[in-house]
């Protein structure tokens, strides 16, 4: 034991003077330092692309509602045959495919307020992903008759559908990327005026 204690300073000096493998150790340290930023950049690129594809899926579904139903089959929730199939087919037509999950949607009559925002007048109807939908209740009269917030708007209320699509993003480098901290369920909503 005493021999080891007396030899320890010499062993430490010899270890510190040895430069073999220093480049490999530096390379390993720098590689570890670049793993998180590189994996985060790659994940962020895929996340942005899939977010854009989800937006395209929602827009495609809204356009499919217009192409399938407008203006002859309004309200679409109850009068448009093939609406649910058209919505699902359009939402799945992007690079996300069936992973872009169509959610129950709504349809309603909206008027433009004096502030320039759409506001529901009447009651909203539903467009489920399967089964029978419920029709929205149209208001009586033009938009100006719906209240003071629509003053000066003499147009008829517009029939709008609101289509929502969800997608669950899975990070490529789970645990190595900062995108592991971001919520993985993305949602996009698109609007389309049918009549």
């Amino acid at each position: 034991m005493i021999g080891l204690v007396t030899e320890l300073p010499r062993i430490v000096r010899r270890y510190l003077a040895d430069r073999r493998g220093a480049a490999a150790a530096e390379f390993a340290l720098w590689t570890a330092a670049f793993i998180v930023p590189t994996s985060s950049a790659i994940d962020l690129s895929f996340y942005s692309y899939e977010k854009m594809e989800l937006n395209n899926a929602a827009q495609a579904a809204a356009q499919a509602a217009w192409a399938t139903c407008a203006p002859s089959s309004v309200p679409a929730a109850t009068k448009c045959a093939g609406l649910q199939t058209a919505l699902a087919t359009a939402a799945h037509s992007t690079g996300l495919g069936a992973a872009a999950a169509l959610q129950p949607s709504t349809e309603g009559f909206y008027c433009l307020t004096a502030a320039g925002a759409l506001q529901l007048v009447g009651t909203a109807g539903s467009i489920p992903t399967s089964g029978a939908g419920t029709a929205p209740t149209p208001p009586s009269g033009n938009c100006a008759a719906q209240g003071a917030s629509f003053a000066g708007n003499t147009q008829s209320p517009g029939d709008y559908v609101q289509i929502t699509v969800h997608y669950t993003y899975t990070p490529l480098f789970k645990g190595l990327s900062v995108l592991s901290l971001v919520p993985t369920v993305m949602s996009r909503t698109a609007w389309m005026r049918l009549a």
Side-chain angles (χ1 to χ4, degrees):
M1 177 83 169
I2 292 178
L4 181 63
V5 171
T6 58
E7 289 291 317
L8 190 58
R10 187 177 65 78
I11 294 171
V12 170
R13 276 193 307 275
R14 189 175 66 199
Y15 175 75
L16 292 175
D18 190 2
R19 299 288 180 217
R20 291 177 292 173
E26 287 178 15
F27 179 76
L29 289 172
W30 282 109
T31 300
F34 283 118
I35 285 176
V36 171
T38 303
S39 62
S40 294
I42 293 169
D43 255 350
L44 182 61
S45 298
F46 277 98
Y47 181 82
S48 298
Y49 173 76
E50 290 180 357
K51 192 173 182 181
M52 184 174 56
E53 284 291 302
L54 181 64
N55 192 47
N56 289 342
Q59 289 293 331
Q63 290 171 1
W66 184 84
T68 306
C69 305
S72 60
S73 301
V74 174
T78 55
K79 291 185 179 179
C80 184
L83 173 63
Q84 293 160 333
T85 302
L87 293 177
T89 301
H92 297 160
S93 68
T94 66
L96 299 177
L102 187 65
Q103 301 299 303
S105 303
T106 60
E107 179 180 14
F109 290 92
Y110 289 81
C111 285
L112 195 62
T113 66
L118 283 176
Q119 185 174 334
L120 178 67
V121 290
T123 59
S126 67
I127 305 170
T129 55
S130 64
T134 58
T137 305
S140 58
N142 64 15
C143 289
Q146 305 308 311
S149 61
F150 306 107
N153 185 350
T154 57
Q155 296 180 340
S156 296
D159 185 349
Y160 287 82
V161 290
Q162 182 180 3
I163 309 296
T164 304
V165 181
H166 288 205
Y167 173 71
T168 302
Y169 175 74
T170 304
L172 296 174
F173 303 103
K174 196 166 184 132
L176 291 176
S177 166
V178 295
L179 272 140
S180 298
L181 306 173
V182 173
T184 57
V185 176
M186 295 187 278
S187 180
R188 286 290 174 264
T189 300
W191 291 71
M192 181 63 68
R193 183 175 177 155
L194 300 180

